[in-house]
Amino acid sequence: MLVIRSLRPEPLGRLLILHPICFSAEALAEHLGAGVWNQDYDLLLYDFAGHGERSDEVFVSYSDELDNLNAEIHATGLGAATEVLGFSIGANLALIYAANHPELRALYCDGLLFCIDQMTLRKSQMKLANVKRLAMKMPALCKPFLPKCWTEAEKNRLISSLRSMEKEDLEAILEASAWPYTAPLPDLDERLLAHSHFFFAERAYQSTWIQLIRRHYPGAKIEIWKNRSYLEAIAADPVAYYEKHICPEA
C-alpha cells in the first residue's frame, strides 16, 4: 500500500484510491497529481494482485482482494478509510468495500467494469490482447487506443505495463474482475447512499449499467462524462476533478 500523508496537521480523513486495470498505486498517484490531492486527506493507494508491487501475484477474486485490502489498511496504523474512490476494477472493489464498511462518509465509483455476457467479455479480451501485441511489436501504434489528453510519459508507462504482463494474465484479470451482469449488486447503507457517486462515460452500451445503478441505488448521484472517459477527465485537470467531485468544500 502506498501512503501519502496529508499536508494538514489534522487531515479531513483518509481517502482510499483504487486503480484501474493495467495501472498501479504509484502510477495512479502520478496521474492524479497526488501532491495536490493530499492537501486535505491522507491518501491510501492500493495495488491489485497482478499490478505494481504485487505484479507477481494472481488476481483471484474481489473477495480475496477485499481481505487483503482490509489487512493492508490495518497495517498502516492510520485507521479505516473514511472515503473511497475507485476506477474500473477499482470502482468494483470500492463498491464492495463500501458495502462492508457502512461507516464510510462517501463512495466514488468511476467507470464500473461490467460484463453483459461471455461474448462481450471475449471481445474485450481480444481487444486487450491486440493492444498488448502492438505494445510488444510497435509500441507507437498503441497510442491511438489511449486517451488523447494523456502525456507521452503516461502513455509510455501504460505501454510498458502491458509489455511486462503475460497475455494470459491480462485475460484472466479481465475475466475475474468484470462484474457479471447476472451477479447481484451489493446493498449499501441507507445513509451512505446519499453520499454515493457513480460516474460513467457517455457511451451507448453504458445506458444499461446506468439504469441498473439508478434502480438499485436510489438517491445516489450519477454523472455522465461528456465526450471523454474517466481517465481523460482526470488527466485534463486533476485538480478540478478533485475540487469538484471529491472535496468541494475544502
Side-chain angles (χ1 to χ4, degrees):
M1 167 127 348
L2 175 62
V3 177
I4 302 176
R5 298 303 301 270
S6 173
L7 299 176
R8 284 179 177 240
E10 296 185 8
L12 297 181
R14 291 163 297 283
L15 175 60
L16 170 63
I17 306 177
L18 303 170
H19 67 76
I21 194 168
C22 294
F23 253 71
S24 67
E26 185 175 357
L28 187 57
E30 183 180 339
H31 189 81
L32 296 174
V36 175
W37 286 47
N38 75 328
Q39 62 185 315
D40 302 302
Y41 291 93
D42 286 329
L43 305 181
L44 309 174
L45 292 103
Y46 174 76
D47 274 323
F48 277 90
H51 299 75
E53 294 295 322
R54 300 176 63 209
S55 58
D56 59 340
E57 299 180 37
V58 177
F59 184 103
V60 177
S61 69
Y62 283 112
S63 177
D64 284 3
E65 291 299 319
L66 179 64
D67 290 343
N68 190 71
L69 173 60
N70 284 327
E72 289 198 21
I73 291 175
H74 179 74
T76 68
L78 294 176
T82 55
E83 285 89 359
V84 58
L85 164 66
F87 304 94
S88 181
I89 61 172
N92 291 13
L93 183 56
L95 184 56
I96 296 169
Y97 182 87
N100 285 271
H101 291 271
E103 72 281 2
L104 273 176
R105 297 195 303 226
L107 164 67
Y108 306 91
C109 291
D110 208 333
L112 282 161
L113 180 63
F114 285 104
C115 181
I116 192 167
D117 54 33
Q118 193 66 27
M119 182 178 294
T120 306
L121 172 63
R122 186 58 190 150
K123 286 180 179 178
S124 298
Q125 289 176 327
M126 289 172 65
K127 181 178 179 181
L128 194 58
N130 287 335
V131 175
K132 175 176 172 55
R133 194 174 299 114
L134 288 173
M136 296 300 292
K137 295 183 178 179
M138 293 171 285
L141 294 183
C142 284
K143 294 181 180 179
F145 291 92
L146 306 179
K148 293 181 176 60
C149 63
W150 281 20
T151 65
E152 284 299 303
E154 288 170 332
K155 291 179 181 180
N156 290 335
R157 182 175 58 241
L158 181 56
I159 289 170
S160 176
S161 175
L162 283 169
R163 288 170 64 89
S164 67
M165 297 178 76
E166 295 293 334
K167 173 176 173 290
E168 292 75 16
D169 291 341
L170 282 172
E171 291 184 348
I173 289 171
L174 190 59
E175 184 161 8
S177 62
W179 198 298
Y181 182 60
T182 54
L185 290 168
D187 293 328
L188 294 177
D189 181 79
E190 187 173 348
R191 178 201 56 80
L192 181 56
L193 267 179
H195 304 282
S196 296
H197 308 255
F198 295 89
F199 305 92
F200 292 92
E202 188 182 34
R203 299 190 178 106
Y205 68 86
Q206 294 278 22
S207 62
T208 302
W209 318 130
I210 294 169
Q211 292 170 17
L212 184 66
I213 293 298
R214 282 198 173 119
R215 286 198 305 268
H216 200 80
Y217 301 120
K221 299 175 179 64
I222 295 176
E223 184 166 339
I224 312 299
W225 295 121
K226 302 292 184 181
N227 303 316
R228 56 175 52 177
S229 69
Y230 57 88
L231 289 177
E232 289 173 314
I234 297 172
D237 195 338
V239 177
Y241 182 101
Y242 170 78
E243 291 178 345
K244 179 180 180 182
H245 301 293
I246 309 303
C247 196
E249 298 177 2

